[in-house]
Amino acid sequence: MGEDGIVLREPGDVSDPSVTGPLLARAHRRAAYSDHQVPSPDGCLPVVFAGAAAGVLIHELVGHLLEADIIASGGTVLADRLGSYVCKMPLTIVDDPTLSGRWGSFTYDDEGRLASPTPLLVDGVVCGVLTDRTRGPVAGAIYSGHNARRASVQYVPLPRMSNVSMFAGTDRLGDVISDLDNAVYCDELTRGQVDPVTGHFALNMISGRAIRSGRLGEYLGPAILTGDVLEVLSSIRAVCDDSDDIQTLCGKAGQQVLVEMNAPSLFVGALEIRRS
């Protein structure tokens, strides 16, 4: 137990029941309705992301593209927009390792820096990066969070996310769904590939439902969601007033660390969907 009450665990300790429990629960939930799935649609459709899936979306499309080592390796489409608006909605996203009892929490990072929250986007403006002693501040960033993390003493610390949260909005999920005639509701998303320079991405939807005439319909089989980071951020149409957590392991440079995401349901105007 840390001095401030934050539970300290060895990063990447996958034998810890608090780590394996949520992962197994999600697997069991998927298995329960896998027999009732129909193939996902192909084409460009509106997508509503449940809170947990929206958390993964911002982790992959925003958080990683604002880590200083990735920026230093060739730049990212978000780092190029530091100080600029990237979405019409007042979207605010913060990485915060100081939250008590969360998977990504720490009192000091692995370079001995005191933990502190780092705003990444504020009201739709890109404003922060996650860095370490080696890279230091990034030009144009108002906030520079020192989040040097490593899986164990065998590894070099790297700039990593901790607990990434998107602030809730004012839209009601039921109202968003009721306005849609033909769309997809994605309630579980896993990581995929994101090109930080071009912004093109492909993410795996492993659980979803059809939205037909304003109502949730049949369960959908797996699909690949593709698009462009800046286009997706600019096409966010609603940020809901709910919120949900998801906990997982994040891999980077061969290192797995514990991370957590918290986000409300999110409505994106259009994404390319390809059944897998």
Side-chain angles (χ1 to χ4, degrees):
M1 184 78 70
E3 293 179 359
D4 57 358
I6 294 176
V7 176
L8 304 178
R9 59 165 69 91
E10 181 69 17
D13 183 5
V14 295
S15 64
D16 187 334
S18 68
V19 175
T20 58
L23 301 176
L24 291 172
R26 293 201 296 271
H28 290 157
R29 188 168 61 250
R30 287 198 305 270
Y33 53 71
S34 60
D35 291 340
H36 306 288
Q37 292 175 342
V38 301
S40 290
D42 282 320
C44 189
L45 287 171
V47 178
V48 177
F49 292 91
V56 175
L57 187 75
I58 63 171
H59 175 99
E60 296 293 340
L61 303 193
V62 176
H64 277 308
L65 271 59
L66 293 173
E67 292 172 333
D69 59 329
I70 294 179
I71 295 170
S73 68
T76 76
V77 292
L78 284 187
D80 292 342
R81 299 294 298 274
L82 279 162
S84 303
Y85 284 95
V86 291
C87 55
K88 300 171 184 177
M89 301 293 294
L91 202 69
T92 295
I93 299 171
V94 177
D95 183 275
D96 190 354
T98 70
L99 299 175
S100 180
R102 302 297 182 91
W103 274 33
S105 297
F106 53 83
T107 305
Y108 294 89
D109 74 4
D110 287 316
E111 291 180 331
R113 299 269 188 138
L114 185 65
S116 62
T118 305
L120 301 176
L121 269 69
V122 173
D123 291 336
V125 176
V126 186
C127 59
V129 298
L130 302 175
T131 189
D132 58 8
R133 291 182 186 274
T134 301
R135 282 92 185 170
V138 173
I142 299 173
Y143 306 99
S144 292
H146 289 273
N147 279 36
R149 304 184 66 193
R150 58 184 176 183
S152 73
V153 296
Q154 298 174 331
Y155 294 94
V156 174
L158 297 171
R160 306 292 297 268
M161 283 171 278
S162 59
N163 307 304
V164 176
S165 298
M166 179 196 298
F167 289 9
T170 59
D171 298 292
R172 297 180 63 85
L173 177 60
D175 294 339
V176 172
I177 291 175
S178 67
D179 286 340
L180 297 172
D181 289 327
N182 183 28
V184 167
Y185 177 71
C186 172
D187 61 9
E188 191 161 356
L189 192 66
T190 63
R191 61 186 63 87
Q193 296 81 40
V194 183
D195 186 319
V197 177
T198 66
H200 184 76
F201 68 86
L203 302 177
N204 300 295
M205 182 183 82
I206 55 176
S207 175
R209 296 180 70 175
I211 299 175
R212 303 190 188 284
S213 302
R215 300 172 65 90
L216 289 177
E218 61 270 28
Y219 291 100
L220 299 175
I224 307 296
L225 308 183
T226 63
D228 174 87
V229 170
L230 294 178
E231 288 179 3
V232 166
L233 291 174
S234 66
S235 68
I236 293 174
R237 299 289 179 262
V239 181
C240 294
D241 60 0
D242 55 1
S243 190
D244 195 11
D245 292 312
I246 183 169
Q247 304 83 20
T248 189
L249 293 164
C250 176
K252 181 180 180 182
Q255 301 189 49
Q256 299 273 358
V257 298
L258 298 170
V259 293
E260 186 162 326
M261 294 82 87
N262 179 276
S265 300
L266 199 64
F267 171 41
V268 175
L271 272 176
E272 196 67 34
I273 301 172
R274 184 177 74 251
R275 69 179 61 120
S276 57

